[in-house]
Structures are given as structure tokens and as C-alpha cells.
Amino acid sequence: MARTQGSRAEITGPLIREAALRLFARHGYAAVSMRQIAREVGVQAGALYAYTPDKQALLFDLMQSHMARLLDSWRDDPAAPPLARLERFVRFHIADSLDHSDAVFLSYMELRNLTEENYRQISNMRRKYESGLELILRDGQASGAMQVEDSRLSAMALIGMLTAVTNWYRAGGRLDRERIGDVYWGLAKGSVGA
Amino acid sequence: MARTQGSRAEITGPLIREAALRLFARHGYAAVSMRQIAREVGVQAGALYAYTPDKQALLFDLMQSHMARLLDSWRDDPAAPPLARLERFVRFHIADSLDHSDAVFLSYMELRNLTEENYRQISNMRRKYESGLELILRDGQASGAMQVEDSRLSAMALIGMLTAVTNWYRAGGRLDRERIGDVYWGLAKGSVGA
DNA sequence: GTCTATATCGCGATAGAC
DNA sequence: GTCTATCGCGATATAGAC
């Protein structure tokens, strides 16, 4: 704690993002002050503004990069059997949600605190991700491998079910992640009539 | 807007609760000021404190009365066939969530802004409600009417799926509420292997 | 890039008049 | 019960030194 001056740019940027993500997810965007974030990082509040123009931009950046990473991570194989694709989606989504629970939480809890334009952008990315699952359900329905009454509604319902895992999962709890994936896949498989 | 003095106690109390519920749900507890609530109601900020000791108590009161109403509304019939009980639960939960979407949203988004003791109390009420569904699933499994791998986890998953309806449902949208109930019941029924 | 200092504002809550 | 006025504080953001 001796140092009170000097540049540490190479690490401060990531530290700010990590602290902001953790604090925003835990207490909510509006409840967290720039001073709190700065304290976590070990700099003065004014220093944050070398990395972000304002608090809103910091929130948007966290959500935007989360969604971009999510969209980039998910790879569907349209040639595979629909049920196999659905299983991959279910296991992917659960694992990814647990690996990035703070960002997942943030990205749907703080939509209301985005400016209009920022909201539009994040919403579009969300919709794109949801459409990936919807496509699997439509293909499954078309091929006869699934019974799906309404692919859009079912996709929203399934994603809601899977994402909610972050609400109660605690590392080291009763169930390990493998087992959770198994149970959720059982539920999802049944829900599409397979 | 002529009146600037005088008591209107019989209506101000409910108006405060309605305004707070709407604003908290829309913008988040931390983002909403007492002055904003007062403005909506048409009184000065100081007048709010004749109805609530502080902002935290107002939040707790909204969540507490929502959960109490929910617990009181739901009536299970342990003598009925498990599948029929599950269908009633699904349709009840969706209808109730849509009827009280602001309170539903608030009651799981703002848990983190409750004091420790208030949090404990709301959590207990939540758990009680969740246990109601879990019991149905256990009875269904025991009677052979359902295949449920893990009744606790499945109950959490189903509630997550059903509650998420508030995330995308908009009155007057593509689907009416009856139809939504049908689709969700189809998904839920399948997920328990029926 | 980071510091200290500060401008400007709005917050939750209370006091006392009516 | 509601008003006006205010206390004390902490918020975001900026300016200028180093």
C-alpha cells in the first residue's frame, strides 16, 4: 500500500471490469458507486474515468462483451440430429451460465438500467441467441423427432428454465454440475416429447 | 392540483404502495428515490414517512404482502391425482405471475437489497411455496404417474420456467393467456415424463 | 495513469408549522 | 396528514498537479 502514484495500466483496466461485474451483480448497478469500485481496485475514484467515459458505459461494456462471448462460444451443427443438437445446447447453456453466473445475472437484471440505444443493442444480441434454440426446435418438429407446439414460446421457456440454475446453484452444494446437466437434459428432452 | 394541504389518508397509503411497486419493479429499488414516489402520488416526500418508517420497510412490506397473498391463493388437493395437481399448479402459477408481474419481478430481483433479517423472512416464504410443487412431484414419482429424477431440482427448474413468462409476455401480444397456459402445461407434462 | 480537490447535485430522513 | 425547509451526507464527474 506504499504506492500512491504511478501507472499500472496493464492491470487496472481488467481489475476495474472484474470488480464492477462482481459488485453490479451482487448489489445492483444503481446501488454500487464508482467509489466502491475504485476501492476494490485500489485506486481513487477519479482514476476510473481514464478507462470509461462514465458509469453507464461501464455497464454496457460488461453486458456487451458477455453477450458477444456467449454468441461466439455457441456453435450449432445444423447437420446433426435435432435431439443431439438440443442436448448440446442444454449442456452448453448450463455450463456457460454457471461459469459466468455474474455476467448472466447482470445481463438480464440490468437491462432496465441501460439507455435506450444500449438496450436495443443488447436485446438484439439476446434475440439472436434465443433464435439459435428456436431453430433447433423447429428442425426437431419438422423432422418428427420432437413435438413442439410453439417453437418461439418453447425456446423462451427452456432458456428461462436453464438460466434459473444460477438462482440456486452454489458450488460445493448437494449436486455437482455433471449431475445438474443430466437432470436438466432429462427435463428438456421430455418437454419436447422425446 | 389546487389542494396543497389536508389529509387524504384513506387513499394515500394504497397509492404509495402502488407507485412504489411500479417504480421499484421498473427501475430497481436502489434507482428509485422517495422523492420520485412522492411525485407520482402527488404529495411531498416528507409525507411518505407518515406511512412507512423508511424506504427499506416499504420494500419489505411490498415483498412480504406479495408472498403472503401468493401462499394464501395456492390451494393444493393432496387427494387428487398428481398429474391433475401439477396441471393446476402450472396454470395457477402462470396466471398469478401475469396478474402480478411487478410484484413477482420485485420479489426475486430485490432480494439482495433486503436487510439480513428481512431477507430471511422472504426466503422462508419462497421456500414454502417451492415445497408445494416439490411435494406434487414426489407424490407423482411415488405413484408412478411421473418420472422425476430429483424432485427438488425439478421443482426449481419448473418454477424458473414458469416465472420467466413475465420476461417476455406483453398484453395484446401474439399469444393470449389461455394459449400460453396450454403450451406451458404441455412442456411441464412432458418434462415429468407424462 | 493516478492523485487530490472540488463543483454540483440529489439522496434519505427529520423538525416544526398548520 | 401534509406542508416547507433543512441537515448531513455521498453521488457522478471534472480540473489540474505530478
Side-chain angles (χ1 to χ4, degrees):
Chain A
M1 271 301 170
R3 185 188 59 85
T4 58
Q5 288 278 338
S7 168
R8 302 180 65 185
E10 66 286 359
I11 62 166
T12 300
L15 285 182
I16 289 171
R17 294 166 51 88
E18 286 160 27
L21 177 59
R22 189 175 55 249
L23 290 172
F24 286 167
R26 191 116 63 207
H27 308 292
Y29 170 75
V32 173
S33 71
M34 296 298 267
R35 283 171 167 87
Q36 271 178 275
I37 298 169
R39 199 181 315 129
E40 287 277 300
V41 175
V43 296
Q44 293 300 313
L48 300 182
Y49 292 87
Y51 296 88
T52 183
D54 53 31
K55 194 182 172 189
Q56 167 74 205
L58 183 52
L59 173 65
F60 175 69
D61 183 53
L62 291 170
M63 293 176 66
Q64 202 274 340
S65 51
H66 166 66
M67 291 306 301
R69 186 202 51 74
L70 179 68
L71 284 169
D72 192 62
S73 299
W74 168 242
R75 290 273 170 267
D76 189 16
D77 173 11
L83 270 180
R85 290 161 66 194
L86 180 59
E87 177 171 2
R88 270 198 67 234
F89 182 91
V90 167
R91 295 189 186 275
F92 166 81
H93 188 87
I94 288 178
D96 193 89
S97 295
L98 292 179
D99 284 341
H100 304 94
S101 57
D102 279 350
V104 168
F105 200 64
L106 194 76
S107 294
Y108 87 112
M109 293 277 280
E110 300 297 353
L111 284 168
R112 60 192 176 179
N113 281 311
L114 291 172
T115 62
E116 212 169 311
E117 171 52 27
N118 287 345
Y119 175 82
R120 239 191 311 276
Q121 205 165 325
I122 301 295
S123 273
N124 283 340
M125 298 175 86
R126 270 185 102 64
R127 244 193 308 281
K128 195 166 166 187
Y129 182 69
E130 292 158 0
S131 299
L133 173 56
E134 192 185 344
L135 178 63
I136 294 175
L137 298 182
R138 276 197 274 116
D139 288 352
Q141 168 73 12
S143 75
M146 305 177 188
Q147 274 87 54
V148 180
E149 278 200 71
D150 185 303
S151 63
R152 180 76 193 155
L153 204 170
S154 299
M156 301 303 287
L158 283 177
I159 287 181
M161 179 175 88
L162 300 176
T163 304
V165 74
T166 61
N167 292 345
W168 53 263
Y169 176 81
R170 294 295 169 269
R174 181 170 64 92
L175 299 161
D176 66 24
R177 296 170 46 141
E178 186 72 26
R179 169 89 178 129
I180 293 170
D182 292 345
V183 173
Y184 270 87
W185 168 233
L187 292 166
K189 187 169 58 173
S191 74
V192 297
Chain B
M1 269 304 170
R3 185 188 59 87
T4 59
Q5 288 277 340
S7 170
R8 303 180 64 185
E10 66 286 359
I11 62 166
T12 300
L15 284 181
I16 289 172
R17 293 168 51 89
E18 284 160 28
L21 176 59
R22 187 175 56 250
L23 290 172
F24 287 166
R26 192 116 64 208
H27 307 292
Y29 170 75
V32 173
S33 71
M34 296 298 270
R35 283 169 168 85
Q36 269 179 274
I37 298 170
R39 200 182 314 130
E40 288 277 300
V41 175
V43 297
Q44 293 300 313
L48 300 183
Y49 292 87
Y51 296 88
T52 182
D54 53 32
K55 194 183 173 190
Q56 166 74 206
L58 182 53
L59 174 65
F60 175 70
D61 183 53
L62 290 170
M63 293 175 65
Q64 203 275 340
S65 51
H66 167 66
M67 290 306 301
R69 186 204 50 74
L70 179 67
L71 284 170
D72 191 62
S73 298
W74 168 241
R75 290 272 170 266
D76 190 16
D77 173 11
L83 270 180
R85 290 160 66 195
L86 180 59
E87 178 170 2
R88 272 198 66 234
F89 182 90
V90 167
R91 295 188 185 276
F92 166 80
H93 188 87
I94 289 178
D96 193 89
S97 295
L98 292 178
D99 283 340
H100 304 94
S101 58
D102 279 349
V104 168
F105 201 64
L106 194 74
S107 295
Y108 87 112
M109 296 281 273
E110 300 296 354
L111 284 169
R112 60 192 177 180
N113 282 311
L114 291 173
T115 62
E116 214 169 310
E117 171 53 27
N118 286 347
Y119 175 82
R120 239 190 312 276
Q121 203 165 329
I122 301 295
S123 273
N124 283 339
M125 297 176 87
R126 267 186 104 64
R127 243 193 309 281
K128 194 166 165 187
Y129 183 69
E130 291 158 1
S131 299
L133 173 57
E134 193 185 344
L135 178 64
I136 295 175
L137 298 182
R138 276 197 274 115
D139 287 352
Q141 168 72 11
S143 75
M146 305 176 189
Q147 274 85 53
V148 180
E149 279 199 71
D150 185 302
S151 62
R152 180 77 192 154
L153 203 170
S154 298
M156 300 303 288
L158 282 176
I159 288 181
M161 179 177 87
L162 300 176
T163 304
V165 73
T166 61
N167 292 344
W168 54 263
Y169 176 80
R170 295 294 169 270
R174 181 170 63 90
L175 299 162
D176 66 25
R177 295 171 48 142
E178 186 73 24
R179 170 88 178 129
I180 292 170
D182 292 345
V183 173
Y184 270 88
W185 167 232
L187 292 166
K189 185 169 60 174
S191 73
V192 297

